[in-house]
Amino acid sequence: MNDYKHTTLNRLLFPSTRYRLVLSGIIILMLVAAYVFVYFTGGTRNGYLHVMYIPVILGGILYGWKGGIFLGIFGGVILGPLMPLNTETMEMQAFYSWTMRLVFFSLSGGLVGFMYETIRAKVRQVTSLYTHDLTTGIKTFNYYWQNNDPSDKRADKVSVSFHINNYESLLVLLGSSEYATLLENIHSRIQGFLPEDSDIYLVDRRLFWIDTSKESFKAIRDDFARIMEEEVIYSESVPLYLDFSIGVSIPDTDKTASERFKESDIAALHAKKNGLTFAVYHDEHARDTLLIERLGALPSALENEEFFLVYQPIIDLKTDKVSDVEALIRWRKNGRVLTPDEFIPLAEETRLIDFITEWVLEAVFKDHLRFEKDFKHIGLAINVSYRNLFNATLIEKMTTMIKNAKLEPDKIHIEMTESTLMQNRTTTQVFLSSFRSEGVQTILDDFGTGYSSLSCLRDLPVDTVKIDREFTMNMHGDSSMYDMIATIIELSHKLGLKVIAEGVEDVEVLNELKTLGCDFVQGYYYSKPKEIEDLIKYIRNQKA
Ligand code: C2E
Ligand code: CA
Ligand code: CA
């Protein structure tokens, strides 16, 4: 039994057959008991006859106004001509007296019955609004929850999510009411081939959920996508294309309906992403959901100081000593250290990236205070996301922090990737120029990945070009890559720019870069990114 549905109010409003039978029995017993009670307390003269209101009202509740009136008349009669005024003298009641009472009984029963009927109708109406889509009348997800126990775990059930991928464009093309018709068509299409034990619900305007059994799913699996592909939609007699993805939950494990639905929904999204029409859930698909969870954990990560910085030395090839260090963020989360690729792109989708950049600047300047006296020549490179540039308050804050930092502005290097600079040229140029006017150095990061022509370099407000590690790592043995790097270095020098090559992992590459006159290198050959203590030791050892 589904307890959540059977509240006392629900039991009285919509009694089950069993409950109805029990109540009917109780009413009959009460009628008999009321008769016996009144008779043995001396007849109607004593006034105990009011007990009759109880079964009459109950009758109204249970059977509506007709039942209420019927029981009122019945009660009126058995306590009327069939009941003496005084059981000792057997004197009977006056006609007008019992008929008036009969009228009152019937009115009470009828009125209560009428009220209950009205309430029942209203509740049905509200429930229907809540469990059916307003425009299409299709059962919604709430319908499922109304009629099923959410905690019920089943291994034989399968959930199928039908996701309409081109929802937005269809809505624009068709308009809202035509789109509703389309939903109705899709609904009846699917309904048409669903086996008996299955049902379909509308979750939102782009998603249907099918609740079916493992066996039934097997029967429809092969036809599902095919039948739906045949669905042709017309707008102004132009046939449109319905782009959809179907996701299926894994059968055979005990799962609640919402767990099954979550699986099929994730599978459908995975199918959509990968251009498939069909996917069965796999744990891998949950990565996207994990990402969302990770995003949710970001704000508290800032509060709980779960971020920390590591620093990678940048080596000056003239002296073979550390000239700068690049700050790279890490996130210590549940015992695992996440690299920036696992959360920076996510944070960039939200304003959180602004808080992260602010945090990085603060942390870098704080760490810098630990640098020893003879490290003063070492510069600090900080990665700034182009998303940060849209926040004027943050830029102001950054400017203040840089001014207040205990190091020369030219020892602060701001790295922006080439691709973002090219995509948001005006914004990034204004930003980099304004920082340069404060004396800060600017680095064009990941150079080679952003498709800017070499001639662009002349106009960009940057001091240094950092060749992307993909290039450096492949230069050895690839002559065209080698030539390209040679050209970048030569041209940059002609334009008065310095060159860093990142991703230097072996001595062959290092020697080639030296031959080409590259100014700085960064990479595992010299050092992996290090925490501040180890970095200080590293620099100290190099000095010695
Ligand atoms: P990036 O700016 O290109 O940073 C260099 C990345 O290359 C670092 O990865 C570093 O660990 C890695 N690397 C360095 N030398 C070598 C090498 O010899 N071989 C190989 N295979 N890899 C090498 P990491 O730390 O995972 O950072 C990845 C990216 O995340 C960075 O790329 C940067 O774009 C971004 N990032 C890191 N820290 C921050 C930050 O504080 N703020 C922002 N907005 N982005 C950051
Ligand atoms: Ca960088
Ligand atoms: Ca880079």
Side-chain angles (χ1 to χ4, degrees):
M1 261 289 133
N2 306 326
D3 299 338
Y4 63 95
K5 242 183 92 184
H6 292 266
T7 57
T8 315
L9 178 71
N10 256 346
R11 279 211 172 98
L12 273 181
L13 278 178
F14 305 105
S16 62
T17 320
R18 214 178 84 193
Y19 199 57
R20 203 176 262 272
L21 274 173
V22 172
L23 276 180
S24 303
I26 292 175
I27 290 173
I28 293 168
L29 280 178
M30 279 180 161
L31 287 170
V32 175
Y35 182 84
V36 173
F37 180 66
V38 174
Y39 191 92
F40 287 102
T41 51
T44 54
R45 72 193 152 105
N46 280 332
Y48 294 125
L49 46 88
H50 294 296
V51 290
M52 188 53 84
Y53 278 108
I54 300 173
V56 168
I57 285 172
L58 265 179
I61 291 176
L62 203 57
Y63 302 111
W65 67 271
K66 285 182 194 151
I69 289 177
F70 173 79
L71 277 168
I73 293 172
F74 186 83
V77 170
I78 60 172
L79 291 192
L82 303 182
M83 174 68 72
L85 180 67
N86 185 337
T87 46
E88 277 161 29
T89 59
M90 288 311 269
E91 180 194 344
M92 295 313 280
Q93 305 169 56
F95 174 78
Y96 72 89
S97 152
W98 71 259
T99 44
M100 276 312 282
R101 190 186 309 126
L102 183 145
V103 170
F104 282 131
F105 281 169
S106 317
L107 271 180
S108 311
L111 211 63
V112 169
F114 174 75
M115 270 160 52
Y116 263 80
E117 266 169 17
T118 316
I119 294 171
R120 255 179 221 126
K122 282 283 163 210
V123 170
R124 270 202 200 99
Q125 200 182 355
V126 171
T127 314
S128 160
L129 281 179
Y130 165 74
T131 54
H132 291 79
D133 180 62
L134 270 182
T135 33
T136 58
I138 302 172
K139 285 183 211 161
T140 63
F141 218 32
N142 293 328
Y143 186 95
Y144 183 87
W145 299 127
Q146 273 278 311
N147 296 287
N148 292 277
D149 183 351
S151 60
D152 190 16
K153 289 195 177 217
R154 299 278 295 265
D156 58 331
K157 284 272 189 179
V158 171
S159 153
V160 182
S161 293
F162 183 87
H163 204 283
I164 302 169
N165 298 332
N166 55 342
Y167 157 79
E168 273 103 358
S169 49
L170 287 175
L171 192 63
V172 171
L173 280 166
L174 297 171
S176 180
S177 71
E178 275 298 307
Y179 185 80
T181 317
L182 169 68
L183 285 181
E184 281 167 32
N185 288 348
I186 295 175
H187 177 256
S188 50
R189 265 274 166 140
I190 299 177
Q191 185 93 298
F193 63 80
L194 276 188
E196 276 285 293
D197 63 352
S198 320
D199 218 338
I200 172 169
Y201 307 93
L202 185 66
V203 179
D204 62 36
R205 311 238 93 193
R206 66 184 82 189
L207 179 62
F208 283 101
W209 183 51
I210 298 142
D211 179 46
T212 182
S213 68
K214 188 176 144 192
E215 296 310 315
S216 300
F217 178 68
K218 268 191 199 148
I220 56 169
R221 183 177 54 198
D222 296 335
D223 297 323
F224 200 157
R226 187 184 50 75
I227 293 174
M228 295 318 294
E229 262 157 11
E230 284 165 8
E231 172 80 37
V232 184
I233 321 150
Y234 291 93
S235 170
E236 309 276 333
S237 63
V238 180
L240 299 177
Y241 163 63
L242 174 69
D243 177 12
F244 64 88
S245 298
I246 300 168
V248 188
S249 67
I250 310 177
D252 298 327
T253 44
D254 266 351
K255 272 182 300 250
T256 64
S258 54
E259 286 163 347
R260 291 196 298 276
F261 176 58
K262 198 172 168 191
E263 281 190 1
S264 64
D265 201 29
I266 290 173
L269 287 176
H270 171 83
K272 176 188 173 180
K273 249 192 186 167
N274 294 281
L276 308 166
T277 39
F278 199 91
V280 179
Y281 177 81
H282 187 281
D283 284 340
E284 265 294 296
H285 304 171
R287 239 181 75 84
D288 297 342
T289 352
L290 287 179
L291 287 181
I292 302 286
E293 280 165 19
R294 207 173 277 168
L295 187 62
L298 270 172
S300 57
L302 276 164
E303 273 171 31
N304 304 340
E305 296 177 8
E306 288 169 9
F307 291 120
F308 65 99
L309 288 178
V310 288
Y311 296 88
Q312 189 175 33
I314 296 172
I315 309 295
D316 186 341
L317 288 182
K318 278 200 288 298
T319 59
D320 214 32
K321 295 268 154 66
V322 180
S323 77
D324 311 280
V325 292
E326 180 181 2
L328 296 160
I329 193 167
R330 297 288 180 266
W331 179 3
R332 193 175 283 114
K333 185 170 185 286
N334 306 330
R336 196 167 93 76
V337 173
L338 302 185
T339 58
D341 298 328
E342 295 175 273
F343 61 92
I344 292 286
L346 265 180
E348 281 178 334
E349 296 297 321
T350 70
R351 296 293 293 269
L352 288 168
I353 190 64
D354 294 348
F355 298 112
I356 289 179
T357 302
E358 193 181 336
W359 180 88
V360 169
L361 251 77
E362 257 170 35
V364 165
F365 293 142
K366 210 166 125 201
D367 279 346
H368 181 259
L369 296 177
R370 301 179 55 179
F371 274 25
E372 290 159 16
K373 263 213 185 73
D374 49 351
F375 291 5
K376 288 291 178 242
H377 62 283
I378 293 174
L380 299 172
I382 297 157
N383 292 287
V384 171
S385 162
Y386 80 98
R387 295 270 178 168
N388 295 141
L389 311 186
F390 302 103
N391 184 344
T393 324
L394 175 74
I395 294 177
E396 241 170 65
K397 265 192 199 163
M398 285 171 66
T399 317
T400 317
M401 283 161 99
I402 288 171
K403 275 186 184 146
N404 296 340
K406 299 265 176 295
L407 76 165
E408 293 302 312
D410 69 340
K411 292 283 172 277
I412 299 169
H413 304 178
I414 283 180
E415 297 196 5
M416 300 244 7
T417 61
E418 183 207 1
S419 50
T420 60
L421 210 155
M422 294 315 291
Q423 277 162 27
N424 311 274
R425 218 162 142 173
T426 327
T427 328
T428 32
Q429 274 187 342
V430 170
F431 167 80
L432 291 178
S433 304
S434 78
F435 273 82
R436 268 178 111 200
S437 66
E438 301 286 334
V440 172
Q441 299 259 313
T442 56
I443 299 178
L444 189 59
D445 200 356
D446 299 346
F447 188 77
T449 57
Y451 306 105
S452 59
S453 68
L454 286 173
S455 61
C456 280
L457 278 179
R458 196 189 54 195
D459 308 321
L460 296 176
V462 293
D463 302 292
T464 306
V465 167
K466 197 188 257 194
I467 302 174
D468 188 60
R469 58 181 181 274
E470 285 296 314
F471 284 55
T472 322
M473 286 161 84
N474 293 312
M475 81 182 279
H476 190 66
D478 181 338
S479 64
S480 59
M481 196 63 98
Y482 181 93
D483 292 341
M484 190 139 75
I485 291 177
T487 315
I488 296 174
I489 294 175
E490 197 189 325
L491 189 82
S492 302
H493 284 163
K494 280 199 176 130
L495 295 170
L497 306 172
K498 298 268 182 220
V499 180
I500 306 175
E502 67 175 2
V504 176
E505 293 188 352
D506 46 57
V507 71
E508 288 85 5
V509 171
L510 177 69
N511 288 334
E512 282 172 351
L513 287 165
K514 275 184 180 162
T515 317
L516 292 175
C518 183
D519 305 285
F520 305 95
V521 292
Q522 174 181 3
Y524 294 172
Y525 177 74
Y526 280 95
S527 167
K528 287 199 169 180
K530 291 178 181 323
E531 291 197 37
I532 182 76
E533 292 81 15
D534 293 334
L535 176 81
I536 290 176
K537 275 185 214 150
Y538 180 86
I539 304 175
R540 212 184 277 151
N541 282 345
Q542 253 208 345
K543 295 233 139 224

